[in-house]
Amino acid sequence: MTKENFDVAVVGAGMVGVCSAMWLQRSGKRVVILDKNAPGTGTSYGNAGTYAPFGCVPLNSPQLVKSLPKLLFSKSSPLSVDWAYAATHLPWMLAFLKNCAPEKVEHITAALANILAHVDAGFDPLIDAAGARDLVVANGAIYAFSTKAAYEKALPGIAARERHGVAVKVLDEGPIREMEPALRMPIHKAMYFSEARHVLDPKGLIERLVKQFLSDGGSWRQREVSGVTPLEDIVEIHCQGADDLEAGQVVVAAGAHSKSIRGSGAETLPLDCERGYHIVFRGEQDRLSRVVGWQEHGFNATPMGAGLRLAGTVELAGLKKPLNPQRIDYLTDKAHQMFSGLGEPEEEWLGHRPTLPDSLPVISRSARSDRVLLAFGHHHIGLTLGGITGRIIADLAEGRVPNFDISAYAAERFQR
Ligand SMILES: Cc1cc2nc3c(=O)[nH]c(=O)nc-3n(C[C@H](O)[C@H](O)[C@H](O)COP(=O)(O)OP(=O)(O)OC[C@H]3O[C@@H](n4cnc5c(N)ncnc54)[C@H](O)[C@@H]3O)c2cc1C
């Protein structure tokens, strides 16, 4: 029996995979998207919806190392570590900490700023093509500090953003309370990012993009991909419980699960996950007019279409453990400090940010084969970077040189 055959198969229907599929289609390819679940139901479902061209300051930092004892042992911390998991994943933990050295942080910041400078060129054409402007609100974002100490710790990050041309303004308490009168927590100062936007429904956005992709002739198959075999002129794609497919090229965009695509080269890379949580208060979205981050506590509150979503925090505990109710309690407690009169959240969610220890994505050819392209590791900013990642992937698939330097995102940096 002849196998189904496409120019390109994209594994993963999250923000990164779907945007890649659309950009590949735009360069004339016959593309299929494969996902074991419905589009937009992975990590891309539950993020804070912040389109963050300002997001060049990584979690890795000398300040993080200094704050670690407090972050790890405080009962109320935005960071939580499963020690049994950490003990079995020490190389990743140590590599992450090594990337907190000042010269590494400067390299990461510059490399993130470099790609973030191009995000609109990756995102806006797709949003327009899908008629999804109504799902994107351009009203900036406020990242607030309750204490002087927290603000002062953020000063190197503010300076780095300014050095890299990010529009950031520091606001005092008065203007912040005027802009967002519902906030009840103590406020010392805030960063205001005028170029930030937010998405009213991250899953709904992906569904619109997929609808457009399909109506432009793209294909979708619900498949769990177990591995790929790159051959001389084709890549075989192996699916659990279904026939294999063939494609000229394959894009691995399975987010935090990308290592499970055997034979792609992804399995050799130090990909892990930063778990993050969200809660939703339905019908409470009118309390804010833009994204408000609470910096000390590591989350954003976003007024979405269906409610007020608080999303963020970091838990290092891998892909397999179930949702940790203590992390939900933490977010709920902070929600009640941030706003008065909120009830109990109606939705609780755990997601897995795909993260490399240097907080840079992998967007490159695989060392295994030129026919395999890798697009994962977008950690805290995958909603923002999905569009431009897709554009780079389409360039690589076509043999075009992208219009900016992408060497910092090469998989081979881990082989050097
Ligand atoms: C709490 C939280 C808040 C966040 N807030 C923001 C934010 O405000 N702004 C921002 O820019 N980013 C944010 N992020 C990050 C962002 O959500 C992620 O970086 C992004 O969703 C990653 O997209 P992805 O397409 O790589 O992965 P995913 O969305 O996880 O998609 C991967 C897909 O691959 C599929 N898959 C996996 N294995 C297989 C297989 N073997 N076969 C077939 N399919 C497979 C999965 O089913 C899934 O659909 C946040 C993340 C979290 C957790």
Side-chain angles (χ1 to χ4, degrees), residues 11-18 34-52 143 206 223-227 253-258 260-261 274-278 291 300 302 310-313 349-354 375-385:
V11 183
M15 190 63 185
V16 175
V18 168
L34 308 168
D35 198 304
K36 58 185 175 181
N37 297 316
T41 55
T43 305
S44 300
Y45 168 80
N47 55 54
T50 316
Y51 179 77
Y143 278 24
I206 290 177
R223 297 275 191 283
E224 177 164 0
V225 176
S226 54
H257 302 268
S258 295
S260 70
I261 313 299
E274 292 175 74
R275 293 152 60 105
Y277 288 83
H278 90 209
V291 173
N300 286 359
T302 307
L310 273 72
T313 71
W349 174 85
L350 157 68
H352 303 92
R353 301 180 189 91
F376 52 79
H378 295 71
H379 57 95
H380 293 245
I381 49 175
L383 170 72
T384 313
L385 291 180

Side-chain angles (χ1 to χ4, degrees), residues 321-357:
K321 289 221 155 177
L323 175 146
N324 174 354
Q326 286 174 356
R327 304 314 298 161
I328 297 294
D329 292 347
Y330 173 84
L331 275 180
T332 307
D333 183 43
K334 297 303 162 205
H336 291 145
Q337 292 173 28
M338 196 170 189
F339 303 97
S340 63
L342 276 183
E344 290 306 304
E346 273 114 341
E347 185 179 311
E348 302 173 350
W349 174 85
L350 157 68
H352 303 92
R353 301 180 189 91
T355 303
L356 282 310

Side-chain angles (χ1 to χ4, degrees), residues 228-292:
V228 298
T229 307
L231 303 173
E232 203 179 323
D233 54 351
I234 209 91
V235 186
E236 287 177 353
I237 299 149
H238 313 298
C239 305
Q240 297 277 14
D243 292 337
D244 287 359
L245 292 96
E246 285 181 351
Q249 299 181 75
V250 66
V251 180
V252 177
H257 302 268
S258 295
K259 278 170 84 95
S260 70
I261 313 299
R262 289 192 304 274
S264 66
E267 67 273 32
T268 65
L269 296 172
L271 177 68
D272 207 315
C273 73
E274 292 175 74
R275 293 152 60 105
Y277 288 83
H278 90 209
I279 53 175
V280 176
F281 297 88
R282 294 223 178 93
E284 299 285 359
Q285 58 271 40
D286 292 342
R287 290 179 184 250
L288 293 178
S289 54
R290 55 178 66 72
V291 173
V292 176

